[in-house]
Amino acid sequence: MTTVTDLPRGRNPRGRLALLPILAGLFVLWFVLQGAAHTFTDYLFFSEVDLTQVFRTVVGSQLMLVVVFGLIFFALLWGNLVLADRFAPAFRTLGPGDEIVARYREVVGGNAARLRTILAAIFSLIAGFGVAGQWQHWLMFRHGSSFGVKDALFHRDVSFYVFKLPF
């Protein structure tokens, strides 16, 4: 039977772990530069047709959605991770198939709170930028007006189905 201590390890595990933040940074930098190029091109277009106010409205609503939804997502995910850690048993005997659990405890150790915060921040950024693509629905929800025509079945203004319901 193979135990955790019998498994082979690399010569320099810290060197490989130091490579992970560098690769993650390059990955993030790639997407940031792509987004900046796209945004700058849009800005040039809107300034050429004298509609920079429209550009500012779109970018402002996208940033607002990223920040607000990202903070909400962060709070919910971080809170759920704290609850999961709090309700998990403090000590559990490990069976023959639990080498992964033992390695996780060995690597994370006392840094569980820091890891929880970092993971929640990363996933909240991903979710926030995903919601930023819904800026058009948000602006229609905020600035929609009444059509003055009621739906025959539910007796709601038709503007509800165009402006409110998609959001």
Side-chain angles (χ1 to χ4, degrees):
M1 181 167 111
T2 305
T3 62
V4 175
T5 55
D6 296 331
L7 294 174
R9 297 200 175 205
R11 292 179 180 242
N12 188 1
R14 294 222 183 246
R16 282 186 284 176
L17 286 177
L19 187 62
L20 286 175
I22 294 170
L23 289 175
L26 289 174
F27 185 72
V28 168
L29 181 66
W30 173 262
F31 283 105
V32 166
L33 289 176
Q34 276 186 334
H38 180 72
T39 303
F40 183 66
T41 305
D42 284 348
Y43 172 75
L44 290 176
F45 170 77
F46 281 106
S47 67
E48 189 65 30
V49 294
D50 292 328
L51 292 173
T52 53
Q53 181 62 34
V54 174
F55 176 77
R56 278 189 243 123
T57 301
V58 169
V59 171
S61 65
Q62 287 175 340
L63 287 175
M64 187 270 311
L65 287 172
V66 166
V67 170
V68 170
F69 188 79
L71 288 174
I72 292 170
F73 192 88
F74 176 83
L76 289 173
L77 181 60
W78 187 82
N80 279 309
L81 289 173
V82 167
L83 286 175
D85 193 38
R86 188 159 296 167
F87 289 128
F91 179 75
R92 190 178 105 170
T93 59
L94 299 176
D98 290 335
E99 288 93 13
I100 295 174
V101 174
R103 282 193 180 190
Y104 169 79
R105 287 182 180 167
E106 180 183 316
V107 169
V108 171
N111 296 324
R114 184 178 300 145
L115 180 66
R116 204 177 14 249
T117 304
I118 290 170
L119 285 175
I122 289 171
F123 284 115
S124 66
L125 279 174
I126 292 169
F129 282 111
V131 170
Q134 303 298 321
W135 64 269
Q136 202 168 18
H137 293 296
W138 167 251
L139 289 177
M140 288 192 321
F141 177 79
R142 282 283 312 254
H143 303 291
S145 60
S146 175
F147 286 164
V149 178
K150 293 221 180 237
D151 175 31
L153 186 60
F154 296 111
H155 307 292
R156 294 197 95 138
D157 194 286
V158 177
S159 65
F160 171 79
Y161 301 105
V162 175
F163 300 124
K164 305 286 187 211
L165 190 61
F167 180 70

